[in-house]
C-alpha cells in the first residue's frame, strides 16, 4: 500500500518538475535568442497561447483523474461498509 502511495506521489512530482523545467527552458531560449523586440513579443504571445492550451488540457486530465479517484474511493468505502455490517451481524448473532 505504501509503495503505491509513493509511486503516485513520485508521479505527481515528476509532472510538476517537467512543467517547471519546460517553462523555464522555453523562457530562457526566448530571452537569450537574438531577435528583434517585435519577434520576441510574437514568440512570447505564441508561447503564452500554447501554455494556456496545455493548461486547459492538464486541467481536464486532472478533473478526469479526480473523478476516477472519487469513484474508486466511494466504491471502496461501500465495500468496507458492507463488510463491517456483515461482521457486526455475525458477531451479534
Amino acid at each position: 500500500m505504501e509503495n503505491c502511495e509513493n509511486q503516485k506521489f513520485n508521479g505527481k512530482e515528476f509532472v510538476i518538475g517537467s512543467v517547471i523545467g519546460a517553462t523555464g527552458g522555453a523562457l530562457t531560449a526566448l530571452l537569450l535568442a537574438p531577435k528583434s523586440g517585435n519577434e520576441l513579443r510574437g514568440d512570447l504571445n505564441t508561447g503564452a497561447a500554447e501554455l494556456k492550451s496545455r493548461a486547459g488540457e492538464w486541467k481536464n486530465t486532472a478533473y478526469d483523474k479526480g473523478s476516477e479517484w472519487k469513484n474508486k474511493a466511494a466504491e471502496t468505502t461501500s465495500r468496507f461498509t458492507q463488510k463491517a455490517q456483515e461482521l457486526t451481524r455475525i458477531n451479534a448473532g
Side-chain angles (χ1 to χ4, degrees):
M1 181 72 172
E2 184 177 321
N3 191 22
C4 250
E5 290 175 11
N6 286 339
Q7 286 177 346
K8 289 179 188 174
F9 189 66
N10 290 337
K12 180 180 172 183
E13 287 178 344
F14 177 77
V15 170
I16 291 170
S18 296
V19 169
I20 292 171
T23 302
L27 284 174
T28 301
L30 284 172
L31 296 176
L32 296 179
K35 296 182 179 184
S36 71
N38 284 337
E39 288 176 319
L40 180 59
R41 283 189 294 276
D43 287 349
L44 287 172
N45 286 336
T46 301
E50 287 179 24
L51 184 60
K52 182 179 178 183
S53 173
R54 287 184 184 168
E57 292 171 13
W58 293 331
K59 177 196 67 115
N60 291 338
T61 301
Y63 181 79
D64 292 343
K65 285 291 184 184
S67 294
E68 181 181 315
W69 291 342
K70 180 193 82 159
N71 292 339
K72 281 184 180 181
E75 187 178 304
T76 302
T77 301
S78 177
R79 279 187 283 154
F80 283 141
T81 301
Q82 288 175 352
K83 188 69 171 176
Q85 288 172 348
E86 289 171 14
L87 289 173
T88 302
R89 280 188 224 123
I90 291 171
N91 289 335

